Amino acid sequence: MSRDSFDHKAIEKKAQDRWAELDLYTTDLTDDTKDPYYLLFEFPYPSGDLHIGHWYAFALTDIFARKQRMDGKNVLFPIGFDAFGLPAENAAIKNGVDPKKWTYENMDRMRTQIRSMGASLDWSKEIVSCDPSYYKWTQWLFTKLFEHGLAERKNALVKWCPKDQTVLANEQVNDGHCERCGTEVEEKNLTQWFFKITQYAERLLTDLDGLPWREDIKDAQRAWIGESEGAKLTFMAHGPEKDDTTQPIPVFTTRPDTVFGATYLVLAPEHEMIEVLIQDASNPDAVREYQRATARKTERDRSENKEKTGVPLEGITATNPATKEEVPVYIADYVLNSYGTGAVMAVPAHDERDFEFATKFNLPVKQVVRPRFVDESNPPREGKETVERDMIIGLVRNPKNGKFLCLNWKEQPWTTFVVGGIETGEDSIEAAVREIHEETGYRNITFVRKLGGISQTEYFATHKDENRIAYTQAMLFDLVDEEQEALSPEEAAKHELVWLSPQEITSRKIQHAEFATVWQRLQNGIDTYVGDGILFNSDGFDGRDNREAMADIVEFAGGERVKNYRIRDWLVSRQRYWGAPIPVVYDPEGNVHLVPADHLPWLLPEDVDFTPGAAGAGKSPLATSKELHERVTRIFGEGWVPEYDTLDTFVDSSWYYLRYLDPKDDHDFSDQSLMKKWMPVDRYSGGSEHTTMHLLYARFFNKALYDLALVPTSEPFGERFNRGLILGPDGAKMSKSKGNVVNPDGVVEKFGADAVRMYLAFIGPYNEPGNYPWNLDGTFAMRKFLDRVNALYEKKTDAELSDETTKHLALAIKKIGTDIDRFKFNTAISTLMTLVRELEQLPQVPMQAKRTLLILLAPLAPHLAEHLWSKLGEEGSVHQAQWPAVDESLLAVNEVTVTVQIQGKRRGEITLRPDSNEDEALMLAKSIPTVAKAIEAGPPKRVIYVQGRILNLVF
RNA sequence: GCCGGGGUGGCGGAAUUGGUAUACGCGGCGGAUUCAAAACCCGCUCCUUACGGUUGUGGGUUCAAGUCCCACCCCCGGCACCA
C-alpha cells in the first residue's frame, strides 16, 4: 500500500457504526415530507456464501439509492431472502441436515457478509419467504386466487424432472432439460395445481407497451406470450357410412384466406376426438400404434427429428367448410395438442410443414394464392385494355457443370431465363420445351420439376399498346446433351446465350423480381408460397387480395376470428418438501376444500422423510408426515386427506415487493394505504434470466390481485434494469467445477469494500446486460485511486476557489449526477477520476472543492467519503448532504475550441468565444498555415460553420 | 428459420445522438527512485518512415458518418414443427 494509504477496515467499521447510530437507513414509510422512491433488487436465495454476483447486484444498486437520498427522496431500499427452494432440500438428502436449519444458518452468515458491503439497506423491512409469518400470506393469497377461479386443479400433460422428482413449469424447462439440474425431462399426465395466467395473456401483452422497459425485455415477454391472430374454422369429420357419427373438428389457423387450398386435416396424436373417430376408421390398430409411439417420445425427440411422420384415419373424411369437399384426415406429431385446438387444416401449397407432409404422403397440393409482381420499369397504364396470358419460365441446368442457361437481351440490359407464352392446346411443360428449343436451339432436355406455383406479373406491352397480366409457371429442366440447332435469325437478333454458374446468377442479381424469386426458391428448395398475393381457385374470392379478403372468407366458411396464445397456464405444484404447503385438503369424496383462514399459516410439517421416492413415486415428502395426517383428521375429520404438494417458489417471489411495505403485519398481507403511496416499484434491478419467469409471473400475480381489489396498481414495476454477469478471471462463467469462482470476502479484506464496489461499477455500463470478467488488477487500481483521493485531503486548503476549478466542479456534479441516475456508473467514475487529477495539479485544494468532491464520492465510496467528511470537521454524515445544485451559468463557457476542416478533413483548431460568428472564425482559421495556403489559391466554394463545433471549408 | 441487441486498440470500455474517434482504466514499454526489489512518481503506447489511413465487410446519402440508408459476414440473447 502507498504511504498515503488508509486503513479501510477501521474506517469501514467507524462509518457503519455512525450510520447505525444516526439510523440513516430505516425508512419511515409514512413520511409525507419527501417524495417516496421504491428501489428494489431481486431478493437473494440463501445459498450459503456471498458471491461476487451478490455484490454486483446489491452494492451497485446502493450507489443509486444513496444518490436518490441526496436528491431529497424518501428511499425504500429493502432486502430479504427468497428462502424456500430445492438446494436446502438437496442438502438435507445429501448430508442429513434439516432444511430449515441449513437455510437459517446460511441466512445468518449472509447477513454478516451483506452488511460488510456498507450498503444503505433497510434491514427493518427484512422478509424471509420460508418463515410462517410470510408464507401464511402466500397461502392466503392462494386461497383468494382459488376463490376467484384463478387457481385450479386439472389433469394435464406436464413436465417431470426424474432427478428432482417433481413437476416443472414450462418456463423451467430449457431445450427439453430441467433448468435447475440439466436432466432431460419426461412428460406425464398428472393432476396438478395451475394458475390461469393464460386468462391474462392479452393484458400482459398490451400493458407491456406502456412500461418504460428496454425493448429486448419486452420482446422476450412478447415472444413468450406468443400471440397470433387468426381464425377458428370447423371441419365436420365423419366415417364412410351414412349413419356414422359426425364430429366437428375446430382448427386454428393464421391463414384462413388459404382455406380453399386445405386438402387434408391433421389431428395431434393426443387429440381427444380420435377416440370417437377411430370407431369408424378401418385401421384402428395402426392409429393406436402411432399414438403409443408418440407417447413414448419426449417433446425433444419429436422436434429433433423433424422428418414428418403420421398415420391416416382411413375411411374418415372431413368437410372443408369453404369448398365443401371431403378431405382425408391424418394424425401426426407435428401437430401439438397443447397449441390452438390440437388440429390443423393443412394447406400444402402455402405452408412448408404441410407441404413436406403432403409430399411424403402423396396428398394433393392446391395453390390458391399467387404472388403478384408489377414490372416497375414498365408498369400497367391507366385506361388501357388488359389481356391475360399464360406463360412459362424455363430453367435449363447442365448437370455436368451445374451452370444454367440464361439470355442476355440485346435491346434491354437484362439477363433472364427462357421465358415464353403457352399456345392453345399445349400444356405448360410442352410450351416450355418448345420455347427452349426455339430460343436456344437445345432440344434434348428432360423435365425435372415445377418450381413452386403460378405467379402473376403485370406490365404494359408497348408493341401491342395493352396492359398484360402474365400467369407464369417456372420449371426446371436438365440438359441431356449439348446438341444444339442453329437459331433462326430473328431469335439470334434478340438475345445472346450464356451459361452462368449459380454464384454468377446470384451476384448479378437478376433484375426482375419474378426471376429473382424463382431463383431464390430453387436455391432454398422451397416449393411453397407463404407470402401474400392474389387469390384464385377460391370461388367467389378469385382475384382479391388475400389479406383484404381474409375476414370475408372467415365469415363465408362459418368461422370466427380469434387470437391464440403460446403461453400455457402456470403449473405451481411441486412434489418437494421445502416450499409453502398448498393450503388445501380433500374430503372423503375427494372434493377440494381450502384450509380456512383461521388455520393459516398451514404449517409445513417437520416429521418427514426426505429420501427421494420415500412417499411413493411422484409424491411429495409431505405424504410421509404423520403429524400432517393427524392434523387434518383432527381439524376436518376422519377420511379427510391433506394436499401433499408445495408451491413453486416463484409464487413466493411474485408478491414479496408488497410485503416489504408491511413486513410484520399479522392481519393482512400488506397495508393498503402504504401500497397506494409506494406502488408501483420505481426501479427494479435484476438478472435477465428472470425476464420470462419471475418478471412475467409477478406481473400476472399483481394483475390478479389488482382485479380482486387487493393492490392499487395493475403493474407492479416501473423501470426495470437487467444487469449483466460477472465472469471469472478467465472470461468464463464462474463455477465451482471450473475453479474460477472469486470469493469477495478475501478481496474486500485486502482492498476494502469501497474499492470492490467501485471496481464493479467501473467495469462496464450497469444499465445493460453485458458480461464482464473479474480482474483483480482493476480492484487494485481502484484502491490506488482511492488512496490518491485520500492523499488529496492532506493538502492545505487555504487557497481561494478559482473560476476554473469552480467550473470543473460544476461539470463533474452534472455529469456524475446524470450518469448515476442512468445506472452508468462507469462513466461517472471516469469523470470523477478526471476531476481528482485536476485537483491534484493544484498546489492547494480549497475547502469548497474538498467538500464537494466528498459529496460526489459518497454514493460510490461511502466509507471513505464518510471518513474524510468527519476529518474535514463536518457535522453529521456526508450521506445526509444534498446533491449540489448546478449553477448553469457556471457551465457557460467563455471560449471554445473549434476544429477547422478542409473538405471534411481535420487541418487544425482555433480557440474563440462560443458566440463568435463565421467571419471571426474564418479570420482565425487563416492563422493555420495549410488553411491560409488553401484560401490563397482561391476562395472556398462553401463554408460550414457550426458554432462551438466545427468550421469546414469546401473548395 | 423468425424476433431483438451488438461488432470501436492487446483487454474492459468512452464518444454531448451527424461535428476533434479511441475519454477513463487495465495490460505493455521506457525513465526516475533504490544496494536491490516492491510501492510511489514521470513519459510513451491504433497502423504507417512519411504522405496518409483506421470504428466487422462492401456500397450509398452528406460539407461532415462509429452514429443515417442498402446489401452481406460474424457474435450474443430470446422464440421455434406454435399452424
Side-chain angles (χ1 to χ4, degrees):
Chain A
M1 292 292 152
S2 76
R3 87 197 121 84
D4 298 312
S5 195
F6 55 90
D7 178 353
H8 56 262
K9 280 184 214 165
I11 70 165
E12 279 167 23
K13 174 151 195 336
K14 221 172 111 195
Q16 288 173 21
D17 287 350
R18 167 157 235 181
W19 303 334
E21 184 189 311
L22 294 170
D23 194 21
L24 288 187
Y25 305 124
T26 305
T27 307
D28 176 2
L29 297 175
T30 60
D31 181 358
D32 285 326
T33 62
K34 293 189 250 175
D35 285 341
Y37 193 95
Y38 192 167
L39 177 63
L40 183 70
F41 57 78
E42 288 155 4
F43 64 160
Y45 179 79
S47 52
D49 274 307
L50 211 64
H51 186 263
I52 198 73
H54 291 121
W55 272 80
Y56 198 50
F58 315 159
L60 269 65
T61 315
D62 178 61
I63 294 173
F64 180 69
R66 291 182 181 277
K67 166 70 170 42
Q68 282 294 307
R69 276 190 212 95
M70 295 175 104
D71 282 338
K73 301 278 172 55
N74 188 26
V75 176
L76 173 61
F77 186 44
I79 185 161
F81 290 96
D82 187 13
F84 269 137
L86 224 38
E89 195 166 346
N90 289 341
I93 295 164
K94 210 170 149 197
N95 306 321
V97 288
D98 175 20
K100 187 173 169 184
K101 188 162 177 274
W102 185 88
T103 303
Y104 278 80
E105 281 174 4
N106 283 351
M107 284 191 287
D108 279 343
R109 189 158 60 251
M110 286 176 79
R111 281 190 195 98
T112 313
Q113 288 176 304
I114 294 169
R115 282 176 192 277
S116 77
M117 286 179 194
S120 58
L121 292 161
D122 182 355
W123 287 94
S124 75
K125 312 289 188 293
E126 184 190 345
I127 54 178
V128 172
S129 68
C130 68
D131 196 276
S133 67
Y134 182 90
Y135 74 69
K136 167 179 177 176
W137 296 106
T138 307
Q139 291 170 331
W140 185 80
L141 291 168
F142 175 94
T143 65
K144 293 293 134 190
L145 292 196
F146 180 82
E147 284 166 2
H148 290 86
L150 291 171
E152 68 169 351
R153 198 162 171 264
K154 67 180 178 191
N155 194 275
L157 201 63
V158 298
K159 307 288 189 317
W160 169 264
C161 175
K163 175 137 184 277
D164 289 341
Q165 288 277 309
T166 181
V167 296
L168 300 169
N170 283 310
E171 289 78 1
Q172 289 162 328
V173 180
N174 288 333
D175 272 338
H177 290 260
C178 172
E179 191 230 6
R180 170 167 293 287
C181 68
T183 310
E184 191 166 332
V185 301
E186 296 165 4
E187 289 187 324
K188 288 195 174 194
N189 219 321
L190 293 170
T191 301
Q192 298 284 313
W193 283 97
F194 291 85
F195 283 165
K196 291 192 186 170
I197 193 169
T198 52
Q199 279 190 10
Y200 283 77
E202 182 148 21
R203 276 165 68 194
L204 287 168
L205 201 61
T206 54
D207 289 355
L208 275 177
D209 297 340
L211 289 177
W213 294 1
R214 278 171 61 111
E215 274 309 306
D216 54 343
I217 305 178
K218 294 190 192 182
D219 273 336
Q221 291 213 348
R222 288 188 187 113
W224 191 263
I225 297 165
E227 179 183 83
S228 355
E229 281 185 65
K232 200 194 246 179
L233 303 176
T234 302
F235 284 60
M236 301 305 291
H238 52 83
E241 307 302 328
K242 281 216 159 53
D243 54 351
D244 285 342
T245 52
T246 298
Q247 294 296 336
I249 310 279
V251 300
F252 173 73
T253 175
T254 54
R255 290 295 302 276
D257 54 307
T258 63
V259 62
F260 285 93
T263 51
Y264 62 103
L265 195 70
V266 192
L267 310 184
E270 304 87 355
H271 198 283
E272 55 180 11
M273 211 50 79
I274 295 171
E275 279 313 303
V276 180
L277 294 173
I278 202 168
Q279 292 163 19
D280 297 328
S282 58
N283 62 340
D285 294 344
V287 172
R288 296 255 187 248
E289 175 48 35
Y290 185 77
Q291 285 181 308
R292 274 195 297 275
T294 309
R296 275 196 299 272
K297 283 198 255 177
T298 62
E299 198 166 89
R300 191 182 170 74
D301 288 340
R302 282 212 219 175
S303 57
E304 228 167 38
N305 178 13
K306 292 197 177 173
E307 174 84 11
K308 296 279 176 295
T309 60
V311 156
L313 282 166
E314 277 172 17
I316 308 291
T317 57
T319 315
N320 180 321
T323 62
K324 310 297 178 201
E325 281 165 359
E326 293 301 311
V327 298
V329 180
Y330 280 72
I331 66 171
D333 67 2
Y334 80 93
V335 175
L336 308 176
N337 199 39
S338 51
Y339 183 76
T341 62
V344 303
M345 65 176 210
V347 186
H350 303 293
D351 183 283
E352 284 179 42
R353 296 150 304 182
D354 295 342
F355 183 83
E356 201 190 317
F357 190 86
T359 307
K360 188 161 170 183
F361 289 86
N362 241 324
L363 290 155
V365 178
K366 181 185 173 195
Q367 190 188 359
V368 293
V369 177
R370 59 187 165 225
R372 171 173 182 255
F373 300 103
V374 175
D375 183 347
E376 292 303 338
S377 65
N378 196 13
R381 298 184 189 173
E382 294 261 349
K384 300 288 180 184
E385 205 185 328
T386 298
V387 174
E388 301 181 338
R389 287 188 72 193
D390 289 321
M391 301 190 67
I392 57 90
I393 291 177
L395 278 71
V396 182
R397 178 173 62 189
N398 185 345
K400 283 188 190 138
N401 56 17
K403 290 191 174 179
F404 288 82
L405 184 54
C406 296
L407 308 175
N408 281 340
W409 291 79
K410 294 191 173 157
E411 281 178 18
Q412 264 93 13
W414 298 336
T415 301
T416 67
F417 303 112
V418 173
V419 55
I422 301 178
E423 311 279 329
T424 30
E426 274 182 329
D427 72 18
S428 58
I429 299 175
E430 288 162 0
V433 170
R434 179 181 50 72
E435 286 287 349
I436 290 166
H437 181 215
E438 283 174 15
E439 291 197 14
T440 73
Y442 289 104
R443 66 178 333 162
N444 292 331
I445 53 175
T446 51
F447 172 74
V448 181
R449 62 186 170 92
K450 292 186 178 178
L451 300 171
I454 291 167
S455 63
Q456 75 178 60
T457 305
E458 298 170 25
Y459 63 101
F460 179 69
T462 321
H463 58 296
K464 293 276 166 74
D465 195 35
E466 65 191 21
N467 290 329
R468 284 193 177 166
I469 303 180
Y471 301 114
T472 310
Q473 173 68 59
M475 278 164 258
L476 177 64
F477 293 88
D478 271 344
L479 195 65
V480 174
D481 63 43
E482 294 180 16
E483 184 195 331
Q484 190 183 16
E485 286 177 12
L487 295 184
S488 70
E490 306 91 76
E491 289 291 344
K494 274 198 279 185
H495 45 65
E496 156 198 26
L497 301 185
V498 279
W499 286 92
L500 297 178
S501 68
Q503 290 84 350
E504 287 172 309
I505 294 171
T506 304
S507 61
R508 277 190 196 202
K509 301 225 164 72
I510 287 197
Q511 291 83 351
H512 291 75
E514 186 189 358
F515 291 96
T517 307
V518 167
W519 178 248
Q520 223 165 37
R521 283 234 183 117
L522 178 67
Q523 292 291 292
N524 299 339
I526 295 170
D527 282 313
T528 49
Y529 178 67
V530 299
D532 294 326
I534 305 299
L535 294 166
F536 69 117
N537 286 339
S538 300
D539 291 356
F541 299 95
D542 285 2
R544 286 175 68 178
D545 177 275
N546 72 314
R547 292 280 150 194
E548 172 273 318
M550 190 102 71
D552 290 343
I553 293 178
V554 173
E555 200 190 327
F556 174 78
E560 53 171 330
R561 308 208 71 174
V562 294
K563 282 180 182 172
N564 200 32
Y565 297 90
R566 201 191 70 91
I567 194 171
R568 319 277 166 85
D569 277 334
W570 174 14
L571 170 53
V572 295
S573 2
R574 293 292 177 276
Q575 289 71 49
R576 299 300 304 229
Y577 170 68
W578 194 236
I582 296 176
V584 157
V585 289
Y586 302 93
D587 66 25
E589 282 75 47
N591 300 312
V592 175
H593 297 267
L594 287 174
V595 173
D598 54 351
H599 286 292
L600 299 183
W602 186 243
L603 289 174
L604 189 62
E606 302 197 350
D607 59 332
V608 295
D609 183 352
F610 305 118
T611 325
K619 262 195 184 174
S620 147
L622 268 64
T624 65
S625 164
K626 209 173 144 205
E627 182 272 319
L628 183 62
H629 286 103
E630 285 170 358
R631 192 198 312 168
V632 169
T633 308
R634 184 179 75 242
I635 297 172
F636 300 97
E638 213 47 65
W640 288 61
V641 286
E643 166 66 58
Y644 300 128
D645 289 351
T646 52
L647 286 170
D648 180 6
T649 53
F650 278 111
V651 180
D652 309 331
S653 57
S654 286
W655 72 282
Y656 76 108
Y657 47 89
L658 301 169
R659 186 68 178 172
Y660 274 143
L661 298 172
D662 193 13
K664 297 186 177 71
D665 194 336
D666 198 34
H667 303 285
D668 208 344
F669 71 101
S670 190
D671 181 275
Q672 287 299 329
S673 68
L674 288 177
M675 284 192 284
K676 269 201 191 75
K677 181 174 158 134
W678 288 88
M679 289 300 292
V681 169
D682 289 284
R683 187 178 287 190
Y684 193 14
S685 168
S688 40
E689 71 275 18
H690 286 129
T691 303
T692 50
M693 294 199 279
H694 164 61
L695 223 45
L696 198 55
Y697 292 145
R699 290 184 61 221
F700 154 71
F701 207 84
N702 192 85
K703 279 183 192 303
L705 300 188
Y706 177 71
D707 289 349
L708 308 185
L710 292 171
V711 298
T713 65
S714 85
E715 285 287 338
F717 313 124
E719 289 180 297
R720 165 74 187 192
F721 284 85
N722 279 1
R723 82 176 156 269
L725 217 58
I726 300 297
L727 306 174
D730 56 355
K733 201 175 168 185
M734 285 193 202
S735 74
K736 275 182 210 141
S737 58
K738 286 203 196 89
N740 62 350
V741 177
V742 173
N743 172 8
D745 291 354
V747 189
V748 172
E749 166 99 13
K750 198 163 168 197
F751 299 119
D754 290 346
V756 170
R757 70 143 75 186
M758 275 185 77
Y759 169 66
L760 290 170
F762 189 60
I763 204 164
Y766 197 58
N767 62 347
E768 40 187 271
N771 298 334
Y772 311 103
W774 172 264
N775 175 359
L776 202 61
D777 289 332
T779 323
F780 179 58
M782 203 51 78
R783 172 55 195 254
K784 283 198 298 192
F785 170 70
L786 293 176
D787 283 338
R788 277 169 47 210
V789 172
N790 185 53
L792 209 53
Y793 285 77
E794 302 295 326
K795 284 196 175 186
K796 287 214 173 89
T797 54
D798 303 338
E800 286 291 310
L801 198 62
S802 70
D803 287 354
E804 208 191 347
T805 307
T806 307
K807 188 190 282 176
H808 285 156
L809 285 170
L811 284 167
I813 291 165
K814 188 168 181 180
K815 172 81 173 140
I816 294 171
T818 53
D819 282 352
I820 291 179
D821 291 347
R822 290 157 49 224
F823 269 17
K824 290 211 56 164
F825 308 134
N826 55 335
T827 48
I829 291 173
S830 77
T831 303
L832 189 70
M833 285 171 162
T834 308
L835 176 66
V836 167
R837 171 133 294 146
E838 273 154 7
L839 295 178
E840 279 174 333
Q841 308 300 311
L842 303 176
Q844 299 205 354
V845 184
M847 193 59 185
Q848 182 61 35
K850 283 189 172 178
R851 209 177 165 278
T852 305
L853 179 63
L854 288 186
I855 293 174
L856 302 185
L857 186 69
L860 296 158
H863 303 96
L864 181 63
E866 190 70 281
H867 167 68
L868 295 173
W869 186 258
S870 67
K871 215 168 141 186
L872 283 188
E874 295 282 350
E875 291 293 309
S877 164
V878 67
H879 300 288
Q880 291 169 303
Q882 282 287 311
W883 192 262
V886 177
D887 182 352
E888 293 287 336
S889 68
L890 288 176
L891 298 177
V893 275
N894 40 32
E895 56 175 39
V896 286
T897 306
V898 166
T899 302
V900 181
Q901 298 179 330
I902 292 177
Q903 326 281 58
K905 292 220 185 331
R906 186 170 190 271
R907 285 294 116 105
E909 54 186 41
I910 51 176
T911 303
L912 34 65
R913 298 190 325 279
D915 60 346
S916 299
N917 61 26
E918 188 175 306
D919 292 340
E920 290 173 81
L922 263 174
M923 285 299 289
L924 274 165
K926 283 180 188 155
S927 63
I928 300 165
T930 48
V931 175
K933 221 164 122 189
I935 291 177
E936 264 169 46
K941 249 192 292 189
R942 214 177 141 187
V943 177
I944 294 105
Y945 176 63
V946 183
Q947 267 192 1
R949 294 272 162 85
I950 208 139
L951 176 68
N952 189 10
L953 306 179
V954 185
F955 290 93

